[in-house]
Amino acid sequence: MTSQRTRDRLIDKLEKLGIKNQDVLRVMRLVPRHLFVDEALSSRSYENTSLPIGHGQTISQPYIVARMTELLLEGEADLENVLEVGTGSAYQAAVLGGLVKNLHTVERILPLYRTARDLLYDLGYRNIWVHHADGTWGWQESAPYDAIMVTAAPNEIPKSLIEQLKIGGRMIIPVGEKKGEQVLQVVIRRSENEHIIKNHESVVFVPFLQEESK
Ligand code: SAH
């Protein structure tokens, strides 16, 4: 159920669903998704579905992970400094960690942050820094970023995130209040005061938390 063959089958499916970036497919073939979910769910970890990870949160659907990563890599330059908001299970972070030079990822929920940090360390990732913080404010210490990926849906794009993008940098973010009405957006920062937004497919994400949580 958690063998390389099962994982390969999922990756073949992602390719059939339209994922073209071979680097994304190569890395997703390597990351053991079953280690990012509770053991009780590991037999379902290579299905193309999101799964609960506790605290009302989910590990994203593999197709969405692949699609968002593909959109992030569409810019021409190599990505040296990247921010993810919403570490969750850290699966998306692990996929990004195999593709970019340095990744900072922030998570608001303390137990999820701790599990993610320890798991990434145990798996040998040394280019991913997990932070316990409210991603509404991005992660100023390591800004500006070549790219930002947000894996929870706010009603509006937080201003700080745009400000922490390099000029020419891009952000992938699901935006929208209600489930079923969220759309995946690519934001490209053109200059100090100008950015453009491109809409992609509609998506279903957990809400971006903007108030104090436990
Ligand atoms: N990338 C994750 C997806 C997890 S779901 C994965 O691969 O598993 C989204 C995550 O975003 C949740 O863990 C949630 O707690 C976190 N989140 C939501 N709002 C946030 C905020 N304002 N700052 C930081 N993390 C946030």
Side-chain angles (χ1 to χ4, degrees):
M1 289 303 222
T2 57
S3 67
Q4 185 64 50
R5 256 187 49 219
T6 319
R7 205 181 304 162
D8 284 343
R9 228 177 285 137
L10 168 64
I11 306 311
D12 292 346
K13 185 181 286 174
L14 299 181
E15 209 166 359
K16 285 205 189 86
L17 290 170
I19 302 301
K20 293 193 176 61
N21 187 309
Q22 292 302 315
D23 291 328
V24 173
L25 295 167
R26 174 179 54 78
V27 168
M28 287 186 70
R29 235 177 250 285
L30 298 174
V31 180
R33 191 170 185 258
H34 63 281
L35 300 182
F36 293 80
V37 297
D38 193 86
E39 242 181 297
L41 288 172
S42 61
S43 65
R44 300 192 53 202
S45 58
Y46 295 104
E47 294 174 14
N48 186 25
T49 53
S50 60
L51 292 167
I53 54 170
H55 309 275
Q57 307 303 322
T58 56
I59 179 173
S60 306
Q61 183 194 15
Y63 171 77
I64 291 296
V65 171
R67 183 70 185 127
M68 288 176 78
T69 310
E70 183 168 73
L71 288 169
L72 198 84
L73 297 177
E74 256 178 17
E76 279 132 52
D78 283 349
L79 300 178
E80 301 221 329
N81 190 34
V82 176
L83 173 69
E84 180 198 23
V85 178
T87 317
S89 69
Y91 177 69
Q92 173 75 73
V95 170
L96 288 172
L99 292 161
V100 309
K101 189 156 178 235
N102 292 310
L103 177 72
H104 290 270
T105 178
V106 300
E107 171 57 53
R108 282 216 60 177
I109 298 177
L110 187 60
L112 290 178
Y113 151 76
R114 287 199 177 121
T115 308
R117 181 198 56 192
D118 295 351
L119 178 61
L120 290 171
Y121 189 84
D122 291 347
L123 291 175
Y125 290 93
R126 295 294 180 271
N127 64 334
I128 305 178
W129 287 270
V130 188
H131 308 284
H132 178 227
D134 180 352
T136 308
W137 313 111
W139 185 253
Q140 181 62 42
E141 270 174 61
S142 306
Y145 299 98
D146 297 311
I148 298 178
M149 183 186 290
V150 183
T151 65
N155 303 340
E156 282 175 28
I157 301 173
K159 218 166 143 238
S160 308
L161 295 182
I162 296 178
E163 287 166 1
Q164 290 179 14
L165 268 183
K166 278 186 196 161
I167 307 296
R170 57 176 48 217
M171 170 160 52
I172 317 300
I173 180 167
V175 182
E177 203 163 343
K178 289 192 212 123
K179 288 203 168 180
E181 285 174 27
Q182 301 165 349
V183 59
L184 201 55
Q185 298 192 329
V186 176
V187 182
I188 297 175
R189 190 172 193 195
R190 284 287 188 75
S191 66
E192 199 59 42
N193 300 312
E194 187 201 357
H195 62 269
I196 54 164
I197 297 180
K198 289 185 202 160
N199 286 329
H200 288 266
E201 53 257 64
S202 53
V203 285
V204 180
F205 268 87
V206 295
F208 188 95
L209 311 173
Q210 307 222 36
E211 279 131 12
E212 278 306 313
S213 68
K214 300 114 247 158

